[in-house]
Amino acid sequence: MMYPDMKKMALLFACYFIPTPLFLASADQTHSEFWASLNSGEEAWLQTQQPLKMVYDPDWAPFEWKGPEGKHTGVIADIIKIIESNTGLNIKVVNTSTWAESVDLVKNGEADFFSAITVTEERKQYLDFTHNDIYSYPAVLLTRFSDTAVYLDAHHDLAGKKIGIVKSSGLGSYIQNSLPQPDYVEVVSTASGFEQLRDGEIDLFAINSISGRYYIENKGFDTVKVALKLDYTYSLKIAARKDLPQEVISILNKGLGSITSHEINNAVAGWIQAPVKERIDWFLLAKITLGFTLIIAFLMWNSYQLRKKVSRKTSELQGKTVKLEESVAAKTRFLAAASHDLRQPLHAMGLFLDILHDQSRGMPQMEIIEKIKKSGAAMENLLISLLDISKLDAGIINVDIKPFKVQQLFDLLADEFESIAREKQLELRFVPCSLHLNSDRQLVERILRNLISNAIRYTEHGKILVGCRRRTESAVISVCDTGIGIDPDKKETVFEEFQQLNNDSRDRSKGLGLGLAIVQRLAALLESKLSLQTIRGKGSVFSIELPRATIEDITQVYFSAQASSDEIAGKYVVIVEDEVEIREGLRQLLTQWGCEVEELSEVNSVERILLKSIPPDLILTDYRLPEHKTGVDAINAIQDFYQDSTIPAIIVTGDTSPERIKQADESGYVVLNKPVPGGKLRAAMNSLLLSV
């Protein structure tokens, strides 16, 4: 099913959470005008009236419910009190346990009128309704966050669903009459409906938008979301039995009309917005102000003394800091140079392996090719660690905050690591999770990948558990293992670069000792708390706390998906690469994908080699080229040659120096870091060609 455009969804979302109240049409009537509006029959009835027995819904917050000591409580209760005061009516509140019980009392003549009720054809048979509305607002269907279905059309998308409706409610009658195909379950109360929805006993729950919002925000049902806005508007009215004198409903209608819009607003705000008003104790405020003044004076004097000490220490540390910064810069330059020189042949090897893999399907040598690819992948992981450190040092990793499902991330990691854990005879388990987080999924994935990889590496027997715990506005993802654990005095050391415990022989299969250093820096980049609990010989628990996504965040991201397709076949691609092996590997791979390929080894050969009259569909270039040229120079030269600055381009680089990474990133073109797997290159080319 196709998603609607974002503007339409934003409008629907606003309808779900912004109620549209319609206040009393005659709200400008004053209290005195009520008495002036009575006819002689109504005045006579008021003088000889008997108490009117009123029933209400005992579980319908925030409108009305049975409060402490059986007291009628909520918005409707406050409005009824105003009517009672304005009219002089003698109203006796009758308490019940359920709304259905309240309905039965009126039908059996044991109660006289409802405090608030909607109009249905069945109710018109035994009730008279006020002309004026108390309040109007929309109705919605709620579902669980784990429900990934998209509900756009109530008549088609609800087939086969089990929908909960409150017994004897007007909304329930409407749904049963207008949407006959689903399976309906009558619940005794609003609270019961929310509980059955949360526990999976029903798929959807029909409720008014105000009560839905109230229960989600105040009753702990934060795993529930809006699925669909219904074409039904709650128009609440007061209703009395038909067999009562007509003066009763007439007086109730005029009493309702005597309430001003200001009084209505106060009643609604008192329970839905719940403002808090407090009296200011000026004497206490003065004492607090004086106390703070004395504290500030003391802190200023103490700060002066500390500044003198800090000044002396600073001068001593400045010399050491300069040396330390020079040492860090030298280390970064060394890592960048070494990483670049290694990535060039590894990138070429990967391209040729992709070609050989595609040409050898079903042949005996496939097993050897797979082993070579695994060895190349291990080397690539080591280089990626070096690149991650270089990128973090350069400060060019962009954080892309979006909502994502924790379970989808867990499923991806489970597919990746379960076979690795099984080889060591370890149990790897992911605890199912329905939460959504609001963070950078790619960075969180890299953090968890490093933590899980470490857990498997340093656990010889037992199990590894990955789970997510809910907090008020956040969630904590933990990776627990029964491995070797860490000595208390080395808990901080493990986060330093090139630090490894129990690897005195520097076994490269255990990595470079950069994993936890990268984890710590990525957590700081996400402004997330990283913690470690460990017992030597028992195991470790690494945890990261991340913000949870709001309903608005999740709804927006659900409707942002776009379809994609393969756009590569038949495209004209120009390759600029000075390394012969890499250039040849790219040519064969792109030709195998159906591309027409032109090869360049340097920027100065553009006019000599490019003989076609039509510009290329895509430029694929290395970043560092001969004669101190860059990939950006190559792109500019080709675009100038064809006088077309819109030709898309991808820069592939093996550089890891912070300066060059930053320069490539600031060029505005797509940048891929060597070695680039064939699938990743193809996906990048597809994405770029689709956006043109």
Side-chain angles (χ1 to χ4, degrees):
M1 181 178 291
M2 295 293 293
Y3 290 102
D5 60 28
M6 290 302 297
K7 289 184 178 179
K8 183 176 180 182
M9 291 316 302
L11 179 62
L12 288 175
F13 190 76
C15 291
Y16 293 156
F17 287 94
I18 304 177
T20 53
L22 301 174
F23 297 119
L24 302 177
S26 55
D28 57 346
Q29 280 190 305
T30 63
H31 303 171
S32 59
E33 287 176 335
F34 163 75
W35 295 101
S37 68
L38 297 178
N39 59 38
S40 58
E42 292 164 349
E43 290 179 354
W45 190 90
L46 281 172
Q47 292 174 0
T48 60
Q49 66 167 304
Q50 298 296 320
L52 288 175
K53 297 179 181 178
M54 181 192 75
V55 290
Y56 63 96
D57 191 333
D59 179 26
W60 197 28
F63 289 103
E64 59 182 0
W65 70 94
K66 187 192 296 184
E69 300 178 359
K71 186 178 180 181
H72 185 209
T73 307
V75 174
I76 303 301
D78 290 351
I79 292 174
I80 292 296
K81 289 176 184 176
I82 297 173
I83 293 174
E84 193 173 15
S85 173
N86 290 353
T87 62
L89 285 171
N90 183 5
I91 297 174
K92 180 181 179 182
V93 178
V94 178
N95 288 322
T96 60
S97 299
T98 65
W99 170 247
E101 184 182 341
S102 297
V103 172
D104 289 341
L105 287 180
V106 175
K107 284 184 174 181
N108 297 334
E110 299 176 50
D112 301 315
F113 76 99
F114 291 101
S115 59
I117 194 171
T118 56
V119 180
T120 67
E121 292 301 319
E122 187 267 337
R123 289 170 179 171
K124 287 180 181 179
Q125 303 302 314
Y126 67 96
L127 292 174
D128 286 326
F129 297 86
T130 56
H131 300 305
N132 294 319
D133 290 344
I134 304 175
Y135 203 70
S136 295
Y137 46 89
V140 297
L141 286 176
L142 302 179
T143 186
R144 295 177 296 279
F145 269 124
S146 57
D147 184 359
T148 58
V150 178
Y151 300 94
L152 298 177
D153 188 337
H155 292 280
H156 296 91
D157 299 335
L158 301 180
K161 298 292 184 180
K162 188 179 293 185
I163 301 179
I165 56 176
V166 177
K167 185 178 181 180
S168 301
S169 67
L171 176 58
S173 300
Y174 161 78
I175 290 178
Q176 287 178 309
N177 293 329
S178 61
L179 304 171
Q181 67 273 26
D183 181 15
Y184 297 101
V185 177
E186 287 191 330
V187 299
V188 297
S189 65
T190 301
S192 175
F194 270 93
E195 290 168 358
Q196 291 188 42
L197 178 62
R198 177 196 62 197
D199 297 339
E201 298 176 20
I202 55 177
D203 299 313
L204 299 148
F205 180 42
I207 189 67
N208 69 80
S209 59
I210 301 297
S211 293
R213 174 180 171 181
Y214 181 85
Y215 269 79
I216 290 172
E217 293 181 351
N218 299 286
K219 299 293 186 180
F221 292 96
D222 53 358
T223 58
V224 172
K225 65 179 180 180
V226 174
L228 180 67
K229 178 178 178 291
L230 297 172
D231 293 328
Y232 178 84
T233 300
Y234 273 84
S235 295
L236 292 181
K237 299 176 181 290
I238 299 174
R241 295 197 334 258
K242 274 186 175 293
D243 59 343
L244 294 176
Q246 280 300 303
E247 287 80 6
V248 173
I249 193 64
S250 178
I251 291 170
L252 287 171
N253 187 63
K254 291 179 178 179
L256 184 57
S258 71
I259 303 178
T260 66
S261 60
H262 177 70
E263 290 171 320
I264 287 283
N265 286 333
N266 283 344
V268 173
W271 294 104
I272 295 179
Q273 300 174 8
V276 178
K277 298 181 179 178
E278 296 182 354
R279 181 177 63 85
I280 298 176
D281 188 334
W282 294 104
F283 180 68
L284 177 60
L285 183 61
K287 290 195 293 183
I288 293 173
T289 303
L290 177 61
F292 271 111
T293 302
L294 294 174
I295 292 171
I296 291 171
F298 170 76
L299 290 175
M300 290 177 65
W301 176 83
N302 194 48
S303 176
Y304 170 73
Q305 298 297 324
L306 287 174
R307 280 201 303 271
K308 290 171 63 178
K309 295 180 181 179
V310 169
S311 179
R312 291 196 302 269
K313 295 292 184 183
T314 300
S315 60
E316 297 173 4
L317 291 172
Q318 281 178 342
K320 297 180 180 179
T321 301
V322 172
K323 292 181 180 179
L324 180 61
E325 289 175 349
E326 290 176 351
S327 174
V328 171
K331 179 208 71 175
T332 301
R333 287 193 299 271
F334 168 76
L335 289 177
S339 180
H340 175 269
D341 291 342
L342 288 171
R343 294 170 85 85
Q344 291 290 94
L346 186 60
H347 180 54
M349 182 183 74
L351 294 173
F352 286 119
L353 276 174
D354 283 332
I355 296 168
L356 189 60
H357 184 274
D358 291 341
Q359 295 176 350
S360 304
R361 295 184 185 278
M363 297 184 180
Q365 60 265 36
M366 275 295 289
E367 183 178 353
I368 298 175
I369 294 172
E370 291 292 346
K371 290 181 179 179
I372 296 173
K373 290 191 72 172
K374 285 184 179 180
S375 299
M379 188 182 300
E380 180 183 354
N381 288 334
L382 297 178
L383 291 175
I384 287 174
S385 295
L386 290 172
L387 178 62
D388 284 343
I389 287 292
S390 297
K391 283 185 174 181
L392 288 165
D393 285 340
I396 62 167
I397 293 182
N398 296 318
V399 178
D400 185 17
I401 302 297
K402 290 180 181 178
F404 64 89
K405 289 183 178 181
V406 175
Q407 190 58 49
Q408 288 182 348
L409 181 55
F410 280 5
D411 291 343
L412 176 68
L413 294 170
D415 290 341
E416 180 177 346
F417 286 103
E418 278 180 347
S419 60
I420 301 173
R422 198 178 302 116
E423 287 179 3
K424 291 191 65 175
Q425 297 184 334
L426 298 174
E427 178 189 351
L428 173 61
R429 188 165 72 87
F430 289 80
V431 180
C433 179
S434 62
L435 292 180
H436 290 68
L437 301 181
N438 197 41
S439 188
D440 188 314
R441 171 174 168 157
Q442 298 300 321
L443 299 186
V444 174
E445 181 182 326
R446 285 159 71 178
I447 289 172
L448 294 181
R449 182 174 283 109
N450 280 352
L451 292 178
I452 296 170
S453 178
N454 267 12
I456 294 174
R457 185 176 296 135
Y458 293 106
T459 302
E460 296 302 325
H461 56 81
K463 61 183 178 180
I464 295 142
L465 180 69
V466 184
C468 183
R469 292 172 293 159
R470 181 198 311 271
R471 294 204 174 162
T472 305
E473 295 182 352
S474 64
V476 177
I477 300 181
S478 299
V479 178
C480 316
D481 66 64
T482 58
I484 61 175
I486 302 168
D487 290 328
D489 59 342
K490 294 182 179 179
K491 286 178 63 176
E492 298 299 326
T493 306
V494 294
F495 291 103
E496 296 176 3
E497 297 171 15
F498 305 107
Q499 291 294 325
Q500 288 183 306
L501 304 181
N502 290 39
N503 190 19
D504 297 333
S505 62
R506 305 305 294 171
D507 179 1
R508 286 282 69 83
S509 67
K510 294 186 177 180
L512 291 171
L514 291 173
L516 291 180
I518 292 171
V519 166
Q520 187 178 55
R521 295 192 191 188
L522 290 176
L525 194 61
L526 293 173
E527 298 181 354
S528 298
K529 181 182 178 183
L530 180 68
S531 61
L532 166 62
Q533 295 174 300
T534 181
I535 300 176
R536 183 65 176 173
K538 297 292 186 181
S540 303
V541 178
F542 287 88
S543 301
I544 182 167
E545 185 173 355
L546 299 162
R548 288 168 55 193
T550 64
I551 294 176
E552 290 87 352
D553 295 331
I554 297 166
T555 303
Q556 191 171 22
V557 83
Y558 275 166
F559 298 98
S560 65
Q562 296 180 350
S564 63
S565 59
D566 196 338
E567 294 287 316
I568 292 178
K571 298 299 182 182
Y572 172 34
V573 182
V574 172
I575 298 171
V576 186
E577 172 60 67
D578 60 319
E579 294 279 348
V580 177
E581 293 84 359
I582 295 177
R583 191 168 66 247
E584 176 62 19
L586 281 171
R587 185 191 66 76
Q588 291 189 30
L589 186 62
L590 280 118
T591 302
Q592 192 168 285
W593 291 346
C595 297
E596 183 180 351
V597 179
E598 189 77 60
E599 302 173 54
L600 302 177
S601 61
E602 58 182 359
V603 177
N604 296 333
S605 60
V606 169
E607 295 184 7
R608 180 169 51 84
I609 296 181
L610 293 178
L611 303 176
K612 297 190 66 167
S613 60
I614 60 171
D617 296 299
L618 181 71
I619 302 168
L620 189 60
T621 177
D622 188 17
Y623 184 71
R624 192 193 298 185
L625 297 171
E627 300 181 2
H628 305 290
K629 300 290 186 179
T630 68
V632 177
D633 296 325
I635 295 167
N636 291 336
I638 296 171
Q639 290 178 342
D640 291 342
F641 181 81
Y642 288 104
Q643 297 182 347
D644 185 355
S645 61
T646 64
I647 301 173
I650 296 175
I651 296 174
V652 182
T653 179
D655 276 300
T656 57
S657 70
E659 295 82 5
R660 288 198 178 94
I661 292 173
K662 197 166 187 177
Q663 289 169 5
D665 189 66
E666 290 175 350
S667 69
Y669 297 108
V670 175
V671 179
L672 299 178
N673 294 287
K674 298 178 181 177
V676 183
K680 185 176 182 179
L681 176 61
R682 186 166 189 153
M685 292 174 65
N686 258 317
S687 177
L688 197 56
L689 290 168
L690 278 169
S691 65
V692 175

